[in-house]
Amino acid sequence: MHEPYLDALADLFYPRRCAACDRRSSDVLCRICFDALPRIEGPRCERCGLPTAFETYVCDACANVDFGFETAKAPLKYEGTGKEVVHALKYRGYRTVAERVMAPLMVGVLDGEIHFDAVVPVPLHRSRMRRRGFNQAALMAGAVANEINTPLSDRMEAVRKTRDQVELTAQERKTNVSGAFRSREPVHGRILLVDDVFTTGATTSECAETLLHAGASEVHALTFCRTV
Ligand SMILES: [Zn+2]
Ligand SMILES: [Zn+2]
């Protein structure tokens, strides 16, 4: 359970440290690391979020890929301070980054298109959940849901444990996550699906398919980082 007043109390006794570089800082990110965030700027693919030379509805990288989601957006590249912030949350349990750093940047990239019926996190299998103690995507989804005043729904679950995707090819990733998720209840309307990193889109796409099967009319993916 996340208790904001405990964070506030902790700040009185322990000076804050920058989530990315661990130097003393008056906020969760120091000025230097904030300025160094690897923002994705300029035109990007409307469908998969990849930076492109010109504004486009589909890019060379995703033209031949089937995705369950309509669009995928991310404010940052998965490198440098962006990667550090993800690691701070995921591996060091620095939870305040979700609401202080991640959610504002993620909502920013939605560009005012914030009309969703629910925000849904990519679920974590219970064995990983036991090890980590929390689902980083759920914390991020909660912060995003707050920011856009939309209900959070956590009724999707991971029914099968999947392999770590780092070493897998795009095709292997697709097979790895196939049938891995299930929605415990019917879903309706437009869903905003939240995860930390978009790589090939295999996981987000499989989750989107699951939500469509459960009754969603469309799914849009939003992650904090994306590989480029
Ligand atoms: Zn820093
Ligand atoms: Zn694309």
Side-chain angles (χ1 to χ4, degrees), residues 122-140:
V122 166
L124 199 63
H125 190 263
R126 60 180 182 281
S127 61
R128 285 227 168 86
M129 184 82 176
R130 260 201 305 275
R131 211 164 353 127
R132 196 175 296 156
F134 62 94
N135 175 6
Q136 76 280 0
L139 292 175
M140 295 168 67

Side-chain angles (χ1 to χ4, degrees), residues 18-23 25 28-34 81:
C18 169
C21 71
D22 206 38
R23 280 190 287 258
S25 162
V28 290
L29 270 191
C30 72
R31 187 76 220 177
I32 295 165
C33 290
F34 181 80
T81 21

Side-chain angles (χ1 to χ4, degrees), residues 45-50 52 57-63 67 226:
C45 171
E46 187 74 15
R47 185 165 178 253
C48 77
L50 190 72
T52 46
Y57 287 107
V58 58
C59 70
D60 292 342
C62 75
F67 288 134
R226 160 194 227 299

Side-chain angles (χ1 to χ4, degrees), residues 195-222:
D195 202 5
D196 49 3
V197 184
F198 182 103
T199 308
T200 63
T203 304
T204 7
S205 184
E206 184 67 22
C207 285
E209 297 279 359
T210 305
L211 292 164
L212 292 172
H213 275 268
S217 57
E218 54 184 76
V219 180
H220 294 265
L222 179 62

Side-chain angles (χ1 to χ4, degrees), residues 45-168:
C45 171
E46 187 74 15
R47 185 165 178 253
C48 77
L50 190 72
T52 46
F54 306 95
E55 205 72 57
T56 170
Y57 287 107
V58 58
C59 70
D60 292 342
C62 75
N64 298 312
V65 189
D66 278 328
F67 288 134
F69 50 80
E70 300 286 316
T71 64
K73 291 180 173 153
L76 304 181
K77 298 173 196 163
Y78 189 47
E79 58 187 42
T81 21
K83 198 170 186 171
E84 283 305 324
V85 172
V86 170
H87 286 190
L89 172 63
K90 205 163 160 179
Y91 304 121
R92 302 202 300 276
Y94 202 137
R95 297 179 185 215
T96 24
V97 297
E99 66 191 64
R100 300 299 295 273
V101 182
M102 293 170 144
L105 288 167
M106 289 165 80
V107 169
V109 85
L110 291 177
D111 234 354
E113 288 171 41
I114 53 167
H115 306 292
F116 296 97
D117 294 286
V119 180
V120 177
V122 166
L124 199 63
H125 190 263
R126 60 180 182 281
S127 61
R128 285 227 168 86
M129 184 82 176
R130 260 201 305 275
R131 211 164 353 127
R132 196 175 296 156
F134 62 94
N135 175 6
Q136 76 280 0
L139 292 175
M140 295 168 67
V144 167
N146 256 342
E147 189 107 359
I148 61 172
N149 247 314
T150 303
L152 174 72
S153 163
D154 60 354
R155 274 157 259 156
M156 184 160 58
E157 59 183 359
V159 287
R160 186 163 62 68
K161 199 179 168 207
T162 53
R163 286 168 63 196
D164 191 347
Q165 310 239 79
V166 176
E167 304 286 319
L168 305 184

